[in-house]
Amino acid sequence: MKIKNYPIFLLFTLVMAASTLQAQLGTTISVNGNLILGPCGDTLLLRGVNYAPFNWGWSPNQLFMDEIAQSGSNCVRLPWYRTPAQGTPQTTYSDLANLDSALSKCIQYQLIPILELHDLTCQNDTTALVATSNWYLEPALLALIDKYKHSIILNVANEALYVNWTGNPAASQATFVRTYSEIVTNFRNAGITVPIMIDGPDCGSNLDVLAAVGPTMQLNDPAQNLIFSAHAYWYAFANNDSTQMEAKIDNAIASGIPFVMGEVANLQDDQVLCQYTLNYSPLLHILQARNIGWLAWSWDNDGCADRQITTNGSFSSLTAYGNDILYNIDYGIYNFAPARSAYLFNGGFCNPVIARDEAQAAATLKLVPNPSNGKFDILFNHSFLLAKVEVFNAAGQLVHLSSEAQATRIHLDFEGPAGIYNVKISTDAGDVRVLKLVKI
């Protein structure tokens, strides 16, 4: 398109139309019923991981967003502290340049940051919860929230308050609603318009309470922009039973609230770390079938090494659990990569047609199965033709080449040792993408 060929009045009309379109779109992530929408109006399926930046405060220069982005995740939940636990470096958390850096890295790699305060994990102190949440209202924090308002979600506090774990669940449920409604109102009065995520009570596990009170809490929010999050440590809450899990998920869906499973793990703590084995695979099958978002715990540096997705934070160091979380043929994040936020995917602009189509194309470009024994299909659910496929080993050597163009599928069968390969896919339109393949 050559601009000089357009009359001035037509250019003015096009610019005004584009400006009107932009004005009609949101400036933050928002909710509509049980849907979570990006700033461009695209529906977001939040699927990703939990990751404590800077190694829980111990390594101020360590950020693994580039590694996380390779997993196919479109979001990352970031634990932070207002007052860290004894022994954890305060300097890392008090220097908000570190937080800015973590948020910036998320945006750079098209990951929606979900910022949460970890201070009051599994504590039942309403006064402390309100006081701690005021951290978000400090001028420096308000400036950061405004800077990233197009993509950030604020998860008030990790797993705070009890309901079923008290002697009076009905009164405690009312306290839960009242306390969080006060916090939400404080946020809105301070000018915060971004989504506020609220964890379930009883160490985050109680999805039933969120389903019961979520609609009222949403109406109590002046912006009506709440997202609810339950944590799937359901060894007792759902008796580790898939039938009960399914009933609880369906009950939450029926309530109409927008919710995610904010922590999904393979092991649950009690008297000791990782005391119970969790039946997480059936839960992920249920969430996959119902198109519900979830975030796995955790990318690295957990107190229980068997609950880590990676051994050292790098994408190439997946644990057995991590391989299942990413590559399970029925629900793996990598195999069913959710669409990126169209706003982030399109470089901070909203073109609802192009951005959404391109984000969907990225999400539906798949290697199936993955992991593979060397026999796999490349599925590309888009109008482009797959023109050339190249497979490179870890040393960067070309080990397979296919140039047979087909509309939506190419089958490959290549010999080679087990390991991680880069599959470079070129289309007839000149588009090039690289995906990871694990050969077993």
Side-chain angles (χ1 to χ4, degrees), residues 184-238:
V184 169
T185 299
N186 291 342
F187 280 30
R188 301 310 185 200
N189 288 342
I192 294 174
T193 58
V194 306
I196 298 171
M197 182 177 284
I198 296 174
D199 282 2
D202 305 328
C203 279
S205 64
N206 202 324
L207 180 59
D208 293 345
V209 166
L210 294 179
V213 304
T216 297
M217 295 179 72
Q218 192 74 273
L219 290 174
N220 289 346
D221 175 14
Q224 294 189 19
N225 198 12
L226 303 182
I227 300 171
F228 300 91
S229 173
H231 296 177
Y233 302 109
W234 283 3
Y235 187 80
F237 179 67

Side-chain angles (χ1 to χ4, degrees), residues 234 238 241-253 282-283 286 289-290:
W234 283 3
D241 176 69
S242 60
T243 300
Q244 293 188 38
M245 294 175 190
E246 185 173 35
K248 291 178 182 299
I249 294 294
D250 286 344
N251 178 54
I253 292 172
L283 174 62
I286 295 166
R290 286 154 177 77

Side-chain angles (χ1 to χ4, degrees), residues 79-156:
W80 203 259
Y81 284 96
R82 184 178 190 180
T83 305
Q86 186 176 3
T88 305
Q90 173 70 54
T91 53
T92 301
Y93 296 106
S94 59
D95 184 355
L96 293 183
N98 289 332
L99 179 56
D100 192 359
S101 180
L103 296 173
S104 176
K105 281 290 184 184
C106 288
I107 301 306
Q108 178 183 348
Y109 289 98
Q110 302 174 16
L111 295 165
I112 295 166
I114 303 172
L115 175 63
E116 60 99 343
L117 282 180
H118 223 67
D119 301 62
L120 301 176
T121 298
C122 289
Q123 295 186 35
N124 188 37
D125 188 333
T126 57
T127 301
L129 178 57
V130 173
T132 300
S133 71
N134 287 336
W135 175 78
Y136 293 98
L137 310 183
E138 295 175 4
L141 265 298
L142 289 173
L144 272 183
I145 294 167
D146 186 65
K147 180 178 180 179
Y148 297 107
K149 66 181 179 182
H150 53 79
S151 298
I152 197 170
I153 296 171
L154 302 182
N155 190 178
V156 179

